[in-house]
Amino acid sequence: MRRPTNGMVSVAQNLERIHERINAALKRADRRDAVTLVVVTKTIAADRIAEACRCGVRHFGENRVQEFKEKRPLLALPSVHWHLVGHLQTNKARQAVELFDRVDSVDSVRLAEKLAHAVGGQGSKLPVLIQVHLGEEPSKHGVAPGEVEALVKQVAELETLQVEGLMTIPPFSDDPEETRPYFRQLRALAEQIERSRIPGVSMRELSMGMTNDFEVAIEEGATQVRLGTAIFGPRPAPREPKP
Ligand SMILES: *Cc1c(COP(=O)(O)O)cnc(C)c1O
């Protein structure tokens, strides 16, 4: 294997380690199914994204429409699925539909309606996940657990969207064991909704777990983990807004 020469961590080596850790977590949980690795590429340059693609990554996530719009022309990657994993403003729904293959962060009927309208008569449905807000910290993003089922029912009515499951970003903790109850809660919520048998809805995807806690998330049933730092190393800190 080539060693990185520019001081950057090797994407190939990191991916290899991550796949080992994913497989070990699946084994611990006695799971026979697979986990989709969604490599989150915000702030990452196109050449390093292409490198991850050469290493076999087929699912990528970005959290901002504008950033991805600028990056996308630099990327000609075959058979790759782009997930929008960050908050989406309703006025960017149309652009999001043009740029992304899936939206993992739907958290309101209004947004779902805008997306459905933007998909229009394209023929294929847009796969979406419902983003759930767990924990006590106030947050503008994600629907409260008590409102998820009602939202799923409303989104299920929209013919051009396909609800495939739930997504969450739990409150951050250095200790993944503190995050475990949130992962458990998301899974229980998905199971509860599955039992309601809403026509056209499946709860097969649970997008949960990031660099700090993906192994615990897999033990609790994650089918998709979203990793950035674990693959590319630390991102530059977001710039402070000007005073
Ligand atoms: C940035 C981001 C991630 C990846 O976070 P890491 O801790 O770097 O793995 C996952 N999900 C979302 C929604 C993100 O914005």
Side-chain angles (χ1 to χ4, degrees), residues 24-100:
L26 281 169
K27 211 164 183 180
R28 277 197 299 282
D30 207 15
R31 286 177 55 180
R32 312 279 152 87
D33 58 334
V35 167
T36 301
L37 170 60
V38 181
V39 170
V40 179
T41 54
K42 62 184 180 222
T43 78
I44 304 299
D47 58 337
R48 306 195 78 213
I49 300 174
E51 188 182 349
C53 184
R54 281 196 299 278
C55 295
V57 174
R58 289 296 173 264
H59 289 261
F60 290 95
E62 283 274 340
N63 69 335
R64 288 218 177 95
V65 170
Q66 190 55 37
E67 179 182 339
F68 186 53
K69 195 179 169 187
E70 287 159 21
K71 236 177 332 196
R72 177 118 206 200
L74 309 171
L75 290 160
L77 304 177
S79 22
V80 154
H81 306 272
W82 283 98
H83 300 231
L84 177 60
V85 298
H87 178 67
L88 178 60
Q89 290 166 303
T90 50
N91 63 0
K92 298 220 172 95
R94 183 163 296 278
Q95 286 188 60
V97 165
E98 281 163 15
L99 290 164
F100 291 92

Side-chain angles (χ1 to χ4, degrees), residues 40 42 63 85 167 169 210-211 226-229 235:
V40 179
K42 62 184 180 222
N63 69 335
V85 298
M167 180 273 225
I169 307 171
M210 305 177 16
T211 290
R226 309 179 307 265
L227 304 184
T229 310
R235 287 180 293 273

Side-chain angles (χ1 to χ4, degrees), residues 140-213:
K140 292 196 289 287
H141 312 317
V143 61
E147 293 161 19
V148 178
E149 185 159 342
L151 178 57
V152 169
K153 282 185 178 142
Q154 286 171 299
V155 180
E157 300 281 315
L158 302 167
E159 273 176 16
T160 54
L161 300 190
Q162 178 72 51
V163 183
E164 296 195 336
L166 305 180
M167 180 273 225
T168 197
I169 307 171
F172 180 82
S173 165
D174 282 325
D175 177 4
E177 286 304 329
E178 283 183 14
T179 317
R180 190 185 291 276
Y182 296 112
F183 296 144
R184 239 175 232 176
Q185 193 185 348
L186 194 74
R187 181 184 179 164
L189 203 50
E191 285 171 352
Q192 179 197 317
I193 294 170
E194 195 82 89
R195 280 194 297 274
S196 303
R197 299 190 169 278
I198 303 163
V201 167
S202 92
M203 285 283 121
R204 65 171 168 271
E205 301 292 349
L206 280 180
S207 174
M208 55 187 196
M210 305 177 16
T211 290
N212 202 47
D213 51 23

